Amino acid sequence: MTEKEIFSTTGHLSADEAVTGVKALGLVDLEGAKTKAIIVEYVLPIDGESVGVNTYEITNYTLFQIKENGYDQAIEMDYDGVPGNEGTIERVYVNDKPVLSEKNGVNEGRYVIIEVNTAYMLSGQNLSYTASLIAGARQIDQVKTSDGRTVTPNTREIKNYTESMQPDFRGNIRLVRTVNKEGFLLPEFGPDSGWTQYHIGNGAFRATHCYSEYTGHYEDFELPYSLFVPPAKLLEANKGKVGLIIHMEHAGSNDSDPMAAVTSSRAAVRLAQMASQKEHPAIVVVPQVEESRRSTDDMVASSEVNTAAFELLDALLETYADYIDIDRIYGTGQSMGGMTILNMASQRDHFFAGIAVAGAQWSNSYAKPFQHNGAPARSPENDPISFSGSVDSDNYLNWYYMISDANVLVQTCADDAMATAEWCCAKEYLESAGGHISYSEWDPWLEVDEQNAMGRALLDRDTSGPGLGITWVCYTRGSHMSTWKYAYRVDFALEWLFRQNRLTAINRGKLGQLKNLWLGRDDTGVIRSGSGTAKLNSAQFTPRGASNHYGEGWTPVSVVNALLSDENTRDTEEVRRLYALLSKEEKAQIKS
């Protein structure tokens, strides 16, 4: 466009023509990707003195949430104590590049930077960056170009997203806002960040012969992932001492896009921060789980992603063999992802030096084929990749025994019925066998420094004996999906993680009593003396609490009988399906 075409004969130009686009400049916060600034790009340089906080009206995800759901439903924490300023304009200035300025920008430039308030935590599930980085801006007052000409206000909003009506997972039609592909900037994952995303068809890891407990089949597939590698200078300076961390995200980030996982919580960004890397240099890998390959389920089974994750780790250990310290391999994750890590920890004994998970649980199930249509449980025979190394052929399904010498830190919320209940069981089983899970609880809304002090005090203890390596922090408020927001807000968990070494677990030894058969409980509900957890099918819990049918020590026969005695389930397809999986001898024990 020529200057003559840009400006009318009066020397004025409408912002509808002068603004070439709007982008969200995001950061990854505790609740996922969040807009930190809206960048308005003009065709000509703008005079910095002609813009201010009253020059624009904006929209963003936070403002929409407050408008549509109300403040109390949209905001979980207000850090600055000023309700109503969340997501609103804080500072406006001009810059000659689409970046933030620590000062007040420059005198003239084509980019107007509208910084917004981020001193809050959003409620609910961490959303995908493609939804949370929506942004729109409308110039409502005139501005001046650097040569003194006038740009009049917009007649319409310029935005980086589209709107459409789509069905949700329940089939309800709802309005969906989706960020355009070029409509955002995320500097934390930019070209110089150390992060690389590997997409299906473009660098994704080619996993082969990966076993699924859901189907009993083997899968060859491409596993998308994100990888952080420290700068070459840092790698060389720490050759042979670099850690390796695998982080697994929650099911809410399931997608084929590897940016979905790394932007869904603060974990990956925190692990890769230079302040942390200088003290604890580490390679960080974040596998991206597609919904069709959900890595774990609540019935204590895992998909082909379990095997693929080990294959990916093995490949990285080979590629960076001269740099990685094999005694410092760590696992982190939340919800589904944390469950995957906890499951993997029992398959390769002493593979992980330490595990830090949030809102996650695991337990025993010796009857996985019953719940998964006859698909055999993962074993050294059908999945030698996951069980690579020394295998305890008698006890590999006894999860409580297998992890009883591990370094584990778990964080849950009291209102998370599933995770909290299953860790209560784990605590009871380990302590009945002579171990101890160190436990504390506190309000996650306390100041971070106070929480860190309590966490460090809890972790400052002798953990050299069998069954002493597991620590549990329970927050006294917050939902399941709040857990990882609270967990990545504090520092003590990652501080603890980087202190762990797998030799600690090897030297600690396992709780031998847990190898014993499950003997049940006496009439008072106390676990019988000498009981282990072998052959125990742990009680299963749901987000609403204990399962009505899968109680502690359940068997296929007890489940079918419980379903038949329940008026709500006795005449269902589930009961027919499970009954068909029983043996002839088991069918003879069915009461009805």
Side-chain angles (χ1 to χ4, degrees), residues 88-109:
T88 61
I89 297 174
E90 283 198 325
R91 201 158 70 107
V92 178
Y93 52 87
V94 163
N95 211 345
D96 53 4
K97 297 178 182 178
V99 297
L100 301 182
S101 169
E102 293 183 2
K103 300 179 180 178
N104 273 327
V106 296
N107 293 330
E108 57 184 61

Side-chain angles (χ1 to χ4, degrees), residues 445-522:
W445 288 23
L446 293 173
E447 292 296 324
V448 169
D449 288 347
E450 187 174 354
Q451 294 188 64
N452 282 329
M454 291 188 291
R456 290 163 185 150
L458 178 67
L459 291 161
D460 183 18
R461 68 186 197 283
D462 177 17
T463 63
S464 59
L468 299 181
I470 304 176
T471 304
W472 175 18
V473 173
C474 185
Y475 297 113
T476 56
R477 70 167 98 191
S479 67
H480 169 67
M481 289 177 288
S482 295
T483 316
W484 43 98
K485 301 176 194 175
Y486 301 157
Y488 301 129
R489 185 174 178 232
V490 294
D491 301 320
F492 69 86
L494 294 183
E495 291 173 355
W496 169 88
L497 185 70
F498 287 120
R499 291 199 302 270
Q500 305 314 301
N501 186 297
R502 75 179 182 126
L503 298 179
T504 307
I506 292 172
N507 295 332
R508 178 179 294 127
K510 292 181 169 60
L511 283 173
Q513 182 179 313
L514 289 176
K515 290 194 294 185
N516 296 348
L517 287 172
W518 170 248
L519 301 178
R521 299 175 183 269
D522 62 23

Side-chain angles (χ1 to χ4, degrees), residues 180-191:
N180 299 328
K181 186 176 181 181
E182 304 299 327
F184 67 91
L185 299 168
L186 277 171
E188 289 157 315
F189 294 97

